[in-house]
Amino acid sequence: QRRQVAELLALGEMAYLASQTSMRAIDPNSSSPARNGSSPSRASSSMSRTNSARGGGGGPPGGLVGKWLEASWSHPISTSVATSGAMCGLGCGIGQAIAIARGKQRSFEARKLGFFILFGTLISGPLCHFWFKYLHSSKTSLSVKQLILYKMCMDIPHKMSVFGPLFNLLYTLQKLDSKRFKDNFTLNVNLWPFAIWFNYNFVPAQMQEAFASLLPLLWSAALCSKGAVASS
Protein backbone atom coordinates (compact mmCIF):
# COMPACT_ATOMS: atom_id res chain seq x y z
CA GLN A 1 0.00 0.00 0.00
CA ARG A 2 2.84 2.38 0.83
CA ARG A 3 4.38 1.58 -2.53
CA GLN A 4 1.11 2.36 -4.33
CA VAL A 5 0.75 5.66 -2.45
CA ALA A 6 4.30 6.61 -3.39
CA GLU A 7 3.61 5.81 -7.04
CA LEU A 8 0.43 7.89 -6.98
CA LEU A 9 2.29 10.83 -5.44
CA ALA A 10 5.01 10.50 -8.07
CA LEU A 11 2.40 10.45 -10.86
CA GLY A 12 0.66 13.49 -9.38
CA GLU A 13 3.93 15.40 -9.19
CA MET A 14 4.73 14.50 -12.78
CA ALA A 15 1.26 15.63 -13.89
CA TYR A 16 1.70 18.94 -12.02
CA LEU A 17 5.12 19.56 -13.62
CA ALA A 18 3.71 18.71 -17.04
CA SER A 19 0.84 21.16 -16.58
CA GLN A 20 3.25 23.89 -15.51
CA THR A 21 5.46 23.21 -18.51
CA SER A 22 2.49 23.48 -20.88
CA MET A 23 1.38 26.76 -19.25
CA ARG A 24 4.86 28.23 -19.68
CA ALA A 25 4.77 27.25 -23.34
CA ILE A 26 1.45 29.06 -23.80
CA ASP A 27 2.23 32.10 -21.57
CA PRO A 28 5.89 32.63 -20.56
CA ASN A 29 4.84 35.09 -17.82
CA SER A 30 2.82 32.48 -15.95
CA SER A 31 5.80 30.94 -14.15
CA SER A 32 4.03 30.77 -10.81
CA PRO A 33 0.54 29.47 -10.12
CA ALA A 34 -2.13 32.11 -9.55
CA ARG A 35 -4.45 31.73 -6.63
CA ASN A 36 -7.37 33.57 -8.22
CA GLY A 37 -7.22 31.78 -11.54
CA SER A 38 -5.11 34.36 -13.38
CA SER A 39 -1.50 35.40 -13.32
CA PRO A 40 -0.39 38.79 -11.93
CA SER A 41 0.66 39.87 -15.40
CA ARG A 42 -2.80 39.18 -16.76
CA ALA A 43 -4.42 40.98 -13.83
CA SER A 44 -2.21 44.03 -14.28
CA SER A 45 -2.82 44.09 -18.02
CA SER A 46 -6.57 43.90 -17.52
CA MET A 47 -6.39 46.72 -14.97
CA SER A 48 -4.37 48.87 -17.34
CA ARG A 49 -6.93 48.28 -20.08
CA THR A 50 -9.70 49.28 -17.71
CA ASN A 51 -7.89 52.46 -16.68
CA SER A 52 -7.21 53.32 -20.30
CA ALA A 53 -10.87 52.84 -21.16
CA ARG A 54 -11.85 55.15 -18.30
CA GLY A 55 -9.32 57.77 -19.31
CA GLY A 56 -7.19 57.41 -16.20
CA GLY A 57 -4.30 55.40 -17.57
CA GLY A 58 -3.36 57.43 -20.63
CA GLY A 59 -0.86 60.24 -20.81
CA PRO A 60 -1.43 63.73 -22.17
CA PRO A 61 -2.28 64.02 -25.87
CA GLY A 62 0.63 64.46 -28.20
CA GLY A 63 1.25 66.82 -31.07
CA LEU A 64 0.26 70.46 -31.15
CA VAL A 65 -2.64 69.98 -28.72
CA GLY A 66 -0.35 68.37 -26.14
CA LYS A 67 2.18 71.19 -26.43
CA TRP A 68 -0.57 73.78 -26.09
CA LEU A 69 -1.98 72.08 -22.99
CA GLU A 70 1.48 71.85 -21.46
CA ALA A 71 2.06 75.53 -22.14
CA SER A 72 -1.34 76.37 -20.63
CA TRP A 73 -0.29 74.67 -17.38
CA SER A 74 3.29 75.95 -17.23
CA HIS A 75 2.78 79.49 -18.63
CA PRO A 76 -0.93 80.26 -18.21
CA ILE A 77 -0.94 84.03 -18.71
CA SER A 78 1.26 84.14 -21.82
CA THR A 79 -0.56 81.18 -23.36
CA SER A 80 -3.95 82.72 -22.63
CA VAL A 81 -2.90 86.04 -24.14
CA ALA A 82 -1.41 84.46 -27.27
CA THR A 83 -4.33 82.07 -27.74
CA SER A 84 -6.94 84.79 -27.30
CA GLY A 85 -5.21 87.07 -29.80
CA ALA A 86 -4.79 84.28 -32.33
CA MET A 87 -8.40 83.11 -31.95
CA CYS A 88 -9.77 86.64 -32.30
CA GLY A 89 -7.70 87.20 -35.43
CA LEU A 90 -8.59 83.83 -36.95
CA GLY A 91 -12.25 84.30 -36.18
CA CYS A 92 -12.23 87.77 -37.68
CA GLY A 93 -10.64 86.43 -40.87
CA ILE A 94 -13.21 83.63 -41.13
CA GLY A 95 -16.07 86.03 -40.41
CA GLN A 96 -14.94 88.54 -43.03
CA ALA A 97 -14.59 85.77 -45.60
CA ILE A 98 -18.17 84.69 -44.87
CA ALA A 99 -19.42 88.28 -45.09
CA ILE A 100 -17.66 88.82 -48.44
CA ALA A 101 -19.07 85.55 -49.81
CA ARG A 102 -22.58 86.61 -48.77
CA GLY A 103 -22.20 90.06 -50.28
CA LYS A 104 -22.38 91.85 -46.92
CA GLN A 105 -18.85 93.26 -47.21
CA ARG A 106 -17.03 94.51 -50.26
CA SER A 107 -13.43 93.63 -49.46
CA PHE A 108 -11.21 92.29 -46.71
CA GLU A 109 -10.44 94.89 -44.02
CA ALA A 110 -6.99 94.53 -42.53
CA ARG A 111 -7.71 97.29 -40.03
CA LYS A 112 -10.57 95.31 -38.52
CA LEU A 113 -8.36 92.22 -38.37
CA GLY A 114 -5.67 94.17 -36.52
CA PHE A 115 -8.23 95.54 -34.08
CA PHE A 116 -9.50 92.07 -33.18
CA ILE A 117 -5.97 90.73 -32.74
CA LEU A 118 -5.03 93.63 -30.45
CA PHE A 119 -8.27 93.35 -28.50
CA GLY A 120 -7.72 89.63 -27.90
CA THR A 121 -4.05 90.09 -26.99
CA LEU A 122 -4.16 93.23 -24.84
CA ILE A 123 -7.62 93.06 -23.28
CA SER A 124 -9.46 89.74 -23.65
CA GLY A 125 -6.51 87.46 -22.86
CA PRO A 126 -5.21 89.22 -19.71
CA LEU A 127 -8.76 89.91 -18.49
CA CYS A 128 -9.65 86.24 -18.90
CA HIS A 129 -6.54 85.06 -17.05
CA PHE A 130 -6.88 87.27 -13.99
CA TRP A 131 -10.64 86.76 -13.83
CA PHE A 132 -10.27 82.97 -13.72
CA LYS A 133 -7.49 83.33 -11.18
CA TYR A 134 -9.87 85.28 -8.97
CA LEU A 135 -12.73 82.81 -9.43
CA HIS A 136 -10.57 79.77 -8.63
CA SER A 137 -9.11 81.37 -5.51
CA SER A 138 -12.40 82.41 -3.89
CA LYS A 139 -15.25 80.53 -2.20
CA THR A 140 -13.25 77.31 -1.92
CA SER A 141 -15.30 76.18 1.10
CA LEU A 142 -18.43 75.69 -1.03
CA SER A 143 -19.57 72.34 -2.35
CA VAL A 144 -19.02 71.43 -6.00
CA LYS A 145 -22.54 72.36 -7.12
CA GLN A 146 -22.52 75.54 -5.08
CA LEU A 147 -19.13 76.53 -6.48
CA ILE A 148 -20.29 75.96 -10.07
CA LEU A 149 -23.40 78.06 -9.45
CA TYR A 150 -21.31 80.78 -7.80
CA LYS A 151 -18.89 80.95 -10.74
CA MET A 152 -21.72 81.08 -13.27
CA CYS A 153 -23.49 83.86 -11.36
CA MET A 154 -20.24 85.82 -11.26
CA ASP A 155 -19.06 85.14 -14.81
CA ILE A 156 -22.22 85.79 -16.82
CA PRO A 157 -22.73 89.37 -15.53
CA HIS A 158 -19.00 89.95 -15.96
CA LYS A 159 -19.15 89.02 -19.64
CA MET A 160 -22.33 91.01 -20.22
CA SER A 161 -21.49 94.16 -18.25
CA VAL A 162 -17.72 94.47 -18.73
CA PHE A 163 -16.51 92.53 -21.75
CA GLY A 164 -19.31 93.49 -24.17
CA PRO A 165 -19.56 97.23 -23.41
CA LEU A 166 -15.78 97.60 -23.38
CA PHE A 167 -15.56 96.02 -26.83
CA ASN A 168 -18.37 98.25 -28.13
CA LEU A 169 -16.64 101.35 -26.80
CA LEU A 170 -13.28 100.55 -28.36
CA TYR A 171 -14.91 99.41 -31.59
CA THR A 172 -16.79 102.70 -31.92
CA LEU A 173 -13.73 104.81 -31.07
CA GLN A 174 -11.92 103.14 -33.95
CA LYS A 175 -14.84 104.15 -36.24
CA LEU A 176 -14.93 100.68 -37.71
CA ASP A 177 -18.64 100.03 -37.40
CA SER A 178 -20.79 102.17 -35.13
CA LYS A 179 -24.02 100.23 -35.86
CA ARG A 180 -23.00 96.87 -34.44
CA PHE A 181 -24.01 97.46 -30.81
CA LYS A 182 -27.17 95.40 -31.25
CA ASP A 183 -25.37 92.55 -33.01
CA ASN A 184 -22.71 92.39 -30.31
CA PHE A 185 -25.28 92.44 -27.50
CA THR A 186 -27.39 89.73 -29.16
CA LEU A 187 -24.31 87.59 -29.73
CA ASN A 188 -23.21 87.99 -26.12
CA VAL A 189 -26.65 86.94 -24.86
CA ASN A 190 -26.73 83.85 -27.10
CA LEU A 191 -23.12 82.71 -26.73
CA TRP A 192 -21.69 83.46 -23.30
CA PRO A 193 -24.32 81.98 -20.95
CA PHE A 194 -24.23 78.61 -22.71
CA ALA A 195 -20.43 78.67 -23.05
CA ILE A 196 -20.00 79.52 -19.37
CA TRP A 197 -22.45 76.81 -18.31
CA PHE A 198 -20.62 74.22 -20.43
CA ASN A 199 -17.19 75.33 -19.22
CA TYR A 200 -17.94 75.05 -15.50
CA ASN A 201 -19.97 71.83 -15.74
CA PHE A 202 -17.96 69.69 -18.17
CA VAL A 203 -14.42 71.13 -18.38
CA PRO A 204 -11.90 70.32 -15.59
CA ALA A 205 -10.98 73.29 -13.41
CA GLN A 206 -7.36 73.36 -14.62
CA MET A 207 -8.58 73.51 -18.24
CA GLN A 208 -11.33 76.13 -17.90
CA GLU A 209 -9.11 79.10 -18.67
CA ALA A 210 -7.67 77.35 -21.72
CA PHE A 211 -11.17 76.51 -22.96
CA ALA A 212 -12.31 80.11 -22.44
CA SER A 213 -9.37 81.39 -24.48
CA LEU A 214 -10.68 79.40 -27.48
CA LEU A 215 -14.17 80.93 -27.39
CA PRO A 216 -13.14 84.23 -29.08
CA LEU A 217 -12.82 82.20 -32.29
CA LEU A 218 -16.60 81.66 -32.42
CA TRP A 219 -17.38 85.11 -31.03
CA SER A 220 -15.27 87.11 -33.50
CA ALA A 221 -16.26 84.92 -36.46
CA ALA A 222 -19.97 85.35 -35.71
CA LEU A 223 -19.61 89.10 -35.20
CA CYS A 224 -17.51 89.74 -38.31
CA SER A 225 -19.74 87.56 -40.49
CA LYS A 226 -22.42 90.25 -40.13
CA GLY A 227 -20.36 92.47 -42.41
CA ALA A 228 -19.39 96.12 -42.07
CA VAL A 229 -22.24 98.57 -42.55
CA ALA A 230 -19.87 101.52 -42.62
CA SER A 231 -17.83 100.19 -45.53
CA SER A 232 -20.53 98.45 -47.54
Side-chain angles (χ1 to χ4, degrees), residues 193-215:
F194 173 76
I196 291 170
W197 170 82
F198 181 87
N199 192 12
Y200 291 133
N201 282 276
F202 299 100
V203 180
Q206 66 272 18
M207 295 295 300
Q208 290 174 1
E209 181 180 344
F211 175 80
S213 64
L214 297 175
L215 293 175

Side-chain angles (χ1 to χ4, degrees), residues 109-120 122-123 165-181 228 230-231:
E109 298 182 0
R111 184 184 176 189
K112 180 185 290 187
L113 176 64
F115 172 81
F116 272 85
I117 293 176
L118 289 177
F119 181 82
L122 301 179
I123 298 177
L166 181 60
F167 175 84
N168 281 334
L169 176 62
L170 296 176
Y171 206 55
T172 304
L173 291 176
Q174 292 293 322
K175 297 180 180 180
L176 293 171
D177 191 350
S178 59
K179 298 182 180 181
R180 286 304 173 197
F181 287 128
S231 62

Side-chain angles (χ1 to χ4, degrees), residues 68-82:
W68 176 73
L69 292 177
E70 184 179 355
S72 299
W73 296 331
S74 58
H75 305 285
I77 183 170
S78 58
T79 305
S80 179
V81 168

Side-chain angles (χ1 to χ4, degrees), residues 160 183-195 226:
M160 302 300 297
D183 290 335
N184 188 23
F185 178 79
T186 304
L187 179 61
N188 289 336
V189 171
N190 293 329
L191 173 63
W192 293 117
F194 173 76
K226 301 292 184 179

Side-chain angles (χ1 to χ4, degrees), residues 77 80-81 84 119-131 209:
I77 183 170
S80 179
V81 168
S84 181
F119 181 82
T121 304
L122 301 179
I123 298 177
S124 177
L127 189 64
C128 176
H129 170 75
F130 290 108
W131 177 249
E209 181 180 344

